[in-house]
Amino acid sequence: MNIAEYSIRKSTVTLVLTLCFLVGGVAAFMNMPRLEDPDFTIKEALVITNYPGATPEEVANEVTDVIESATQQLGQLDKVSSQSNPGQSIVTVEVKEKYDKETLPQVWDELRRKINDAQGELPPGAGPSLVVDDFSDVYGILLSISGDGYSTQDIQDFAKYLRKQLLLVDNVAKISLWGEQQENVYIEMSRARMSRMGVTMDAVTDTLAQRNLVVPAGNVRVGPEYVRISPTGVKPTVKSLGDLLIANADGTNLVALKEIADISRGYSDTPSQVMRFDGKPAVAMGISMISTGNVVELGKAIDQRLEELQSMTPVGMHINTVYYQPKRVEQAISSFTLNLAEAVAIVIVVLLLFMGLQSGVLIGVILLITICGSFIFIEMAGVALERISLGALIIALGMLVDNAIVVVEGILIRYQGGEDRVKACADVVDQNMWPLLGATVIAIMAFAGIGLSEESVGEFCNSLFIVLCVSLFMSWVTAVTVTPLLCKLFLHPKPRGAEEDPYGGGIFRFYRRCLEACMRHRLTTVGVLIGMLAVSIYGFGFVKQSFFPNSTQPRFFLHYWLPQGSDIRHTSEQISEIEAMLMKDERVKSVATFVGEGAPRFILTYTPEKTNSSYGLLLVEVENYEQVDAVLAEYRDKVDRQYPDSEAKFKKFRLGPGRDAPIEVRFSGPDTKVLRELSLKAQKIMHASGNARSIRDNWRQPVKVIRPVLSETPAKRAGITRPALADALNTFFNGTQIGVYRENDNLLPIVLRPPADERNNVHELGNVQVFSPTAGRMIPMEEVVSEMRTEMDFGIIRSRNRMLTITASCDPIEGLPSTLLAELMPRIEAIKLPTGYFMEWGGEYEDSNDAQQSLAKGVILPTIIMVLMTVLLFNKIRNPLVIWLTVPLAIIGVTASLLASGQPFGFMALLGFLSLSGMLIKNAIVLLDQIMLELMKGRPPYLAIVESAVSRIRPVAMAAATTILGMLPLMFDPFFSAMAVTIMGGLMFATILTLIVVPVLFAMFHRIRNPGD
């Protein structure tokens, strides 16, 4: 009793299990997590080390090199890159792709130990280093909080209150605020009044430093109690700080602080971050979800909590949405699910048209059972409902019915011949079960390369392999169990006459004539195919190349840079003008502005820009996606024309991993000036192409530096050192923190600085007062400084794998990056590099190569398994050779379809080609298995080939038709369109060729003669 007969005899068990599949599948579908795009782990951490006062060169040599040396000891390290800014080192540590989100925390712990061990090697004044391992956290809900008529502090206080309330919501992992301004207490000291009162700066700083400190005063026993002692003296208000008494220089008099200084509270003149929403000052709030949460449910919970807090929200305070992933996910999942339903409907209609009502309905029911059963195991595998997983189901639809079509076709023919119903089912399943299993395993293995890839694109597309693996195996299970039972219960075809040929229809006769003609002219047939293959390989060189497509979100980025070293206030002013211009456009729905740093990471494919006062980001939302190109092009021209000194980069949202600059070339070597010259040469070539824009390098422009030249002899006599001079200058222009003021749970820094008319005037530089230990008084800086130089210096120095590295980049004005890269590459590679310098290509070229190399490594083992499986199925070498020789023929259809549609060949198209090979091998196995079966029955070899091919035309053609037509909904999805075209075009052509080439090659390899030869 085989498995089909057992399923029929135990029909109650089979039907109950089938019902469990249906009910359990629906429940699993409803309970699966929802995402727009699958997660992938960003395997990066930042090591930030401050070195106040140091130049970029000093930071690079004294701090960055030490941190990079420590990270190099990390066995899990893939590459290390760094950015050395004035006074700060930022080292980016990337670990090897094989480490995932479960193992990364251990890696970061080891990194912290290495960095802590290196702290003793840092120069005085540098550090401590901070390891930021949550750099990749995604804040899927990004809100802005603004208020009409409210102060900055009021908005920040409400944002903090809101943060506390929303942290209590289930599934919330973390909430971060962006754009907060630090409030300070300012003591503005007048030099004239200090001199008149005889008060020194040291006396002021010593007095203020001791105020409002919390220090223990002890406890005392009073009878049975142990009473804490807490003396008074804390100043209750900022204004009351003016009553502090300060002794003059000789200690003979006490002077109130308010008599020599103006005391106020306010925000820094140069904020580190500025956020606006629709032109109004705001604070951004990013909400991240726990890893096991459901983003749609999180969105509902956040909405409910905000609704509950509405009564506590001050009138005029606004909570606006910058990016709301739950809503986006709901829309995306609805669209993907509709595509899946459309694809299922298309497949069922095709089955009804070509298989007849009974067979079509029966296979359609099997398809639904297979899909529902698959959802149970897909959920158990931890896969979420998202673009890739639902797309994988659509890709699998045609293959899911392959096995059922073969079984139903075989049973149908036997029923029409009048065979016993149970025996017919058992015999058909017994005949096809193992070949179908082998073919199914091969189809699964065709997708295994993506499942075994360790690259981020492999992780991004991993659900594709899981879904296909589960659903294809489920299709085999239902084909050999449920399908025979349903055939026995519901399939009742009309019996045919004894002399009636089941394959006597017009299509069968036409195919037979074509096949026999090709069999008679075998060499000509093979020669023509080889010629077509050669032409298609040549034509493939004209196919566009790409990596991942852009998203269809109705939003775009405007990255905006002013010359390096620009004041953040000037950057903010220019960006506010662009904001106002955008907000007047009726097509623009909202504009969120982030100045001084990139926005919190709200989607995985966005990498925030690091701190830079000359940088700003505008996140622009339009009414619908179709308007993005027009709006983007219009304002690109306006901004370029009105702000010629800026670097404005307009970017659409991206699907899948990658980087913002599609074309990058890196130069590495020991000398900064030589690297800058090489970069300028590459940029000149980019400009000359006429099709490049956003041309820049990541070291940016040199910046102005004022260098007071310390005169050695006078400085020595006055006892003034470089640190003392630097402290005096810092206090004069920026202020120095000398204490803290406690206000409830807030600690406000007390900052000592001169009045605005002194500190904001560069001409006062020579009058900066420096304390002379020798003279015992303050003296003007000009007495110990010989001259003031204004020089140009690097604003940023970057390195990669411990080599100084500069990266020049650009975007294409029109067309794909691959087209522009093909033009630029030979010209830039012709640049003569000095000894010790080397060049590398980055951008999409590097990302695509890395992904394809990783995929190629992952394909090796599955390919070996596929080859072994074909050998095991036939126990021969020639038959597998026939099968594998048909695979390259798919290139003919792939090239033709890509060129005709204009779709690029990218990573997803490559996946489509690999999956296409599995489909072709599966079809060839079904055909060869039938030929071998006919030969075993003793039929003449030539007739065995022809009759087998004719008998398999319907299953093979139907499997191809359902796959091709089921792909139609994916044609309109930007992410899957290239893959859909690849599979549809390749399968359409290769199926026709398979039905011709496999019989012809089989006859040639087995030396089977034509009749009459």
Side-chain angles (χ1 to χ4, degrees):
M1 183 184 295
N2 67 15
I3 190 170
E5 191 174 353
Y6 180 85
S7 300
I8 294 171
R9 303 292 184 198
K10 304 287 185 180
S11 58
T12 303
V13 174
T14 305
L15 291 174
V16 169
L17 289 175
T18 301
L19 183 63
C20 290
F21 278 158
L22 290 170
V23 176
V26 172
F29 178 82
M30 300 303 295
N31 292 330
M32 288 174 71
R34 264 74 169 165
L35 293 171
E36 181 181 5
D37 293 302
D39 283 336
F40 60 92
T41 307
I42 298 173
K43 304 172 178 70
E44 295 180 4
L46 302 181
V47 183
I48 301 173
T49 310
N50 290 324
Y51 189 13
T55 65
E57 292 92 338
E58 291 169 335
V59 170
N61 295 329
E62 300 175 31
V63 176
T64 301
D65 187 62
V66 172
I67 299 301
E68 287 180 333
S69 297
T71 59
Q72 197 170 6
Q73 302 169 28
L74 201 66
Q76 302 91 335
L77 181 69
D78 182 29
K79 57 178 172 280
V80 58
S81 56
S82 67
Q83 174 179 322
S84 297
N85 303 320
Q88 188 181 62
S89 164
I90 303 176
V91 176
T92 303
V93 181
E94 296 182 46
V95 300
K96 295 174 182 175
E97 294 290 349
K98 67 180 181 180
Y99 296 98
D100 55 22
K101 55 188 175 184
E102 280 76 29
T103 55
L104 274 180
Q106 298 175 5
V107 177
W108 301 144
D109 286 343
E110 186 173 346
L111 174 64
R112 283 191 175 85
R113 290 195 294 271
K114 301 291 185 187
I115 297 300
N116 287 336
D117 292 343
Q119 296 303 291
E121 301 176 38
L122 296 175
S129 301
L130 174 66
V131 177
V132 182
D133 62 359
D134 59 356
F135 175 67
S136 61
D137 284 357
V138 177
Y139 299 94
I141 298 176
L142 187 59
L143 308 174
S144 78
I145 299 152
S146 58
D148 298 329
Y150 288 94
S151 67
T152 301
Q153 191 58 47
D154 291 334
I155 295 172
Q156 292 183 175
D157 288 343
F158 180 68
K160 290 177 181 177
Y161 165 78
L162 201 61
R163 178 178 180 273
K164 289 180 180 179
Q165 296 299 316
L166 294 181
L167 277 170
L168 302 176
V169 175
D170 289 342
N171 295 327
V172 170
K174 185 168 64 174
I175 299 180
S176 294
L177 299 180
W178 196 102
E180 287 186 285
Q181 307 296 320
Q182 175 62 57
E183 189 176 20
N184 300 318
V185 174
Y186 290 108
I187 311 293
E188 297 187 347
M189 306 294 297
S190 169
R191 285 181 300 179
R193 284 187 278 176
M194 286 177 64
S195 177
R196 188 168 61 250
M197 297 291 184
V199 176
T200 65
M201 191 69 74
D202 286 344
V204 176
T205 57
D206 290 343
T207 303
L208 287 171
Q210 299 300 318
R211 281 294 168 183
N212 281 24
L213 289 181
V214 176
V215 292
N219 297 68
V220 64
R221 180 174 179 176
V222 180
E225 297 178 289
Y226 195 56
V227 181
R228 179 170 59 86
I229 302 171
S230 179
T232 63
V234 174
K235 293 297 181 181
T237 64
V238 170
K239 186 177 180 181
S240 64
L241 287 174
D243 297 329
L244 285 174
L245 298 176
I246 300 169
N248 61 5
D250 55 12
T252 58
N253 192 20
L254 294 175
V255 179
L257 180 62
K258 61 186 176 183
E259 295 181 18
I260 57 172
D262 294 324
I263 303 169
S264 62
R265 60 191 297 169
Y267 299 96
S268 173
D269 294 338
T270 54
S272 59
Q273 297 175 340
V274 176
M275 199 266 169
R276 290 188 294 270
F277 186 82
D278 286 344
K280 297 177 182 178
V283 172
M285 174 182 289
I287 304 173
S288 68
M289 180 184 68
I290 60 175
S291 59
T292 57
N294 183 321
V295 69
V296 176
E297 295 302 320
L298 174 65
K300 293 177 181 177
I302 292 291
D303 287 341
Q304 181 180 345
R305 187 60 182 144
L306 288 175
E307 184 67 29
E308 293 169 355
L309 293 171
Q310 192 64 40
S311 61
M312 304 295 292
T313 303
V315 176
M317 197 73 77
H318 305 293
I319 303 171
N320 297 108
T321 300
V322 178
Y323 187 82
Y324 206 68
Q325 193 184 45
K327 183 178 179 181
R328 178 74 187 171
V329 168
E330 276 193 296
Q331 293 172 345
I333 294 298
S334 297
S335 175
F336 301 154
T337 307
L338 178 62
N339 285 346
L340 177 60
E342 289 173 350
V344 171
I346 290 170
V347 169
I348 292 175
V349 169
V350 172
L351 291 170
L352 290 173
L353 288 175
F354 293 97
M355 293 290 291
L357 181 62
Q358 288 186 11
S359 299
V361 170
L362 194 147
I363 296 174
V365 170
I366 294 297
L367 176 61
L368 294 177
I369 294 169
T370 302
I371 292 173
C372 289
S374 299
F375 274 126
I376 298 173
F377 298 101
I378 290 170
E379 186 200 23
M380 292 171 63
V383 175
L385 283 179
E386 27 83 358
R387 184 191 310 274
I388 302 294
S389 60
L390 286 171
L393 268 178
I394 297 174
I395 294 168
L397 280 180
M399 293 183 284
L400 294 185
V401 297
D402 284 4
N403 295 330
I405 287 174
V406 171
V407 173
V408 172
E409 167 82 2
I411 294 173
L412 179 66
I413 297 299
R414 289 173 182 260
Y415 279 5
Q416 288 175 338
E419 289 192 25
D420 177 74
R421 299 181 69 80
V422 175
K423 184 178 184 300
C425 292
D427 288 348
V428 169
V429 170
D430 191 51
Q431 172 188 326
N432 293 286
M433 181 169 63
W434 299 118
L436 289 179
L437 178 61
T440 301
V441 170
I442 288 172
I444 291 171
M445 287 297 105
F447 292 93
I450 192 64
L452 298 176
S453 174
E454 294 179 344
E455 287 282 333
S456 55
V457 289
E459 187 178 0
F460 184 76
C461 298
N462 188 54
S463 60
L464 181 79
F465 171 67
I466 294 174
V467 170
L468 286 163
C469 180
V470 170
S471 59
L472 288 177
F473 186 73
M474 179 61 67
S475 74
W476 178 81
V477 172
T478 55
V480 298
T481 55
V482 182
T483 302
L485 174 60
L486 295 184
C487 285
K488 191 260 181 186
L489 294 175
F490 302 109
L491 190 60
H492 299 283
K494 293 180 181 179
R496 66 175 183 273
E499 302 297 325
E500 187 180 348
D501 184 1
Y503 304 110
I507 294 176
F508 294 104
R509 292 197 305 272
F510 175 76
Y511 169 64
R512 182 191 296 270
R513 287 196 297 269
C514 291
L515 177 59
E516 290 178 341
C518 292
M519 293 277 282
R520 286 194 300 270
H521 304 89
R522 300 174 190 181
L523 292 178
T524 303
T525 301
V526 172
V528 170
L529 289 173
I530 291 174
M532 294 175 67
L533 181 61
V535 170
S536 66
I537 292 173
Y538 172 76
F540 194 80
F542 297 96
V543 175
K544 300 174 184 177
Q545 303 292 310
S546 182
F547 187 40
F548 276 112
N550 290 319
S551 171
T552 56
Q553 292 217 36
R555 297 176 176 85
F556 63 87
F557 297 108
L558 168 51
H559 299 277
Y560 190 85
W561 289 270
L562 285 177
Q564 189 66 19
S566 297
D567 190 298
I568 191 172
R569 291 165 290 188
H570 179 55
T571 306
S572 180
E573 288 167 6
Q574 277 207 7
I575 290 178
S576 67
E577 295 172 9
I578 300 173
E579 271 175 34
M581 189 164 50
L582 283 163
M583 287 164 53
K584 292 177 183 176
D585 195 318
E586 293 181 354
R587 296 167 296 179
V588 174
K589 197 172 179 180
S590 67
V591 181
T593 304
F594 303 84
V595 185
E597 193 176 333
R601 190 192 296 267
F602 56 92
I603 51 174
L604 268 171
T605 54
Y606 163 69
T607 301
E609 182 79 5
K610 298 179 178 69
T611 302
N612 189 338
S613 63
S614 61
Y615 170 78
L617 169 70
L618 282 83
L619 180 58
V620 183
E621 182 179 5
V622 296
E623 291 293 338
N624 60 70
Y625 172 71
E626 286 75 18
Q627 297 173 330
V628 169
D629 286 331
V631 175
L632 192 146
E634 178 182 335
Y635 286 96
R636 178 187 285 121
D637 292 340
K638 286 184 178 180
V639 171
D640 289 346
R641 188 171 57 251
Q642 296 182 26
Y643 303 95
D645 294 334
S646 68
E647 296 175 15
K649 187 170 184 177
F650 290 75
K651 294 288 291 183
K652 291 183 180 181
F653 279 47
R654 190 178 65 243
L655 288 174
R659 61 190 87 186
D660 287 331
I663 299 175
E664 293 180 347
V665 57
R666 295 191 294 266
F667 297 97
S668 300
D671 188 86
T672 54
K673 292 182 179 178
V674 174
L675 290 174
R676 176 73 80 182
E677 290 172 2
L678 292 172
S679 171
L680 291 174
K681 288 179 181 178
Q683 292 179 60
K684 186 177 179 180
I685 293 171
M686 293 173 181
H687 280 291
S689 73
N691 190 34
R693 61 175 165 230
S694 299
I695 301 169
R696 57 192 297 271
D697 66 49
N698 62 348
W699 285 24
R700 311 213 65 241
Q701 302 87 353
V703 298
K704 295 185 182 74
V705 179
I706 299 174
R707 297 195 191 281
V709 179
L710 194 65
S711 182
E712 191 66 29
T713 303
K716 192 76 172 176
R717 289 174 182 164
I720 294 175
T721 60
R722 181 193 175 192
L725 178 62
D727 285 343
L729 287 166
N730 185 57
T731 299
F732 188 83
F733 288 104
N734 299 326
T736 300
Q737 182 177 338
I738 57 174
V740 292
Y741 176 76
R742 295 179 179 275
E743 185 178 65
N744 301 322
D745 59 347
N746 294 323
L747 298 178
L748 307 184
I750 300 175
V751 178
L752 190 66
R753 67 182 186 182
D757 58 346
E758 296 179 13
R759 69 175 184 272
N760 291 335
N761 188 353
V762 71
H763 299 294
E764 290 286 329
L765 195 59
N767 297 325
V768 172
Q769 300 293 302
V770 188
F771 182 75
S772 169
T774 305
R777 61 182 177 84
M778 308 290 284
I779 63 172
M781 186 181 74
E782 59 188 9
E783 293 185 13
V784 294
V785 171
S786 60
E787 62 175 315
M788 298 285 186
R789 295 179 187 166
T790 301
E791 300 177 353
M792 301 304 291
D793 197 1
F794 289 106
I796 300 173
I797 295 178
R798 297 181 188 266
S799 67
R800 179 183 171 91
N801 290 332
R802 306 200 64 191
M803 288 279 291
L804 290 173
T805 302
I806 189 169
T807 303
S809 62
C810 67
D811 292 357
I813 293 176
E814 59 182 26
L816 289 171
S818 57
T819 306
L820 178 59
L821 180 64
E823 179 185 344
L824 296 176
M825 188 174 280
R827 299 180 187 178
I828 293 178
E829 288 181 346
I831 297 174
K832 187 176 180 180
L833 300 179
T835 304
Y837 293 80
F838 62 90
M839 182 187 72
E840 293 177 309
W841 289 98
E844 277 195 8
Y845 177 82
E846 183 178 43
D847 290 337
S848 182
N849 281 350
D850 288 347
Q852 290 176 16
Q853 288 173 13
S854 175
L855 189 59
K857 292 177 185 176
V859 164
I860 294 173
L861 179 60
T863 302
I864 293 172
I865 294 173
M866 291 164 73
V867 172
L868 291 176
M869 185 62 68
T870 54
V871 174
L872 288 172
L873 284 172
F874 296 103
N875 193 29
K876 295 178 183 294
I877 295 297
R878 284 180 291 184
N879 288 359
L881 192 58
V882 169
I883 291 171
W884 284 94
L885 283 175
T886 62
V887 173
L889 298 177
I891 297 175
I892 301 172
V894 169
T895 301
S897 59
L898 289 176
L899 287 174
S901 65
Q903 287 288 344
F905 186 81
F907 184 78
M908 294 306 293
L910 175 61
L911 272 185
F913 183 77
L914 292 176
S915 65
L916 182 60
S917 66
M919 298 176 195
L920 296 181
I921 293 170
K922 187 176 182 181
N923 287 341
I925 287 174
V926 171
L927 180 51
L928 282 181
D929 180 67
Q930 186 64 34
I931 293 174
M932 298 305 296
L933 187 64
E934 295 295 329
L935 289 171
M936 289 173 62
K937 291 179 179 178
R939 182 167 289 196
Y942 181 86
L943 285 178
I945 295 173
V946 174
E947 295 301 330
S948 297
V950 171
S951 69
R952 284 306 185 203
I953 185 173
R954 183 155 57 180
V956 171
M958 283 300 304
T962 52
T963 301
I964 291 168
L965 295 175
M967 286 277 180
L968 284 176
L970 291 186
M971 285 282 293
F972 307 100
D973 187 302
F975 188 79
F976 285 106
S977 56
M979 178 191 244
V981 168
T982 300
I983 294 176
M984 292 171 73
L987 188 59
M988 183 185 301
F989 193 78
T991 299
I992 298 171
L993 292 181
T994 300
L995 291 169
I996 299 294
V997 175
V998 170
V1000 170
L1001 289 179
F1002 184 89
M1004 292 178 68
F1005 275 57
H1006 290 270
R1007 299 181 180 179
I1008 297 172
R1009 295 177 180 273
N1010 292 322
D1013 289 352

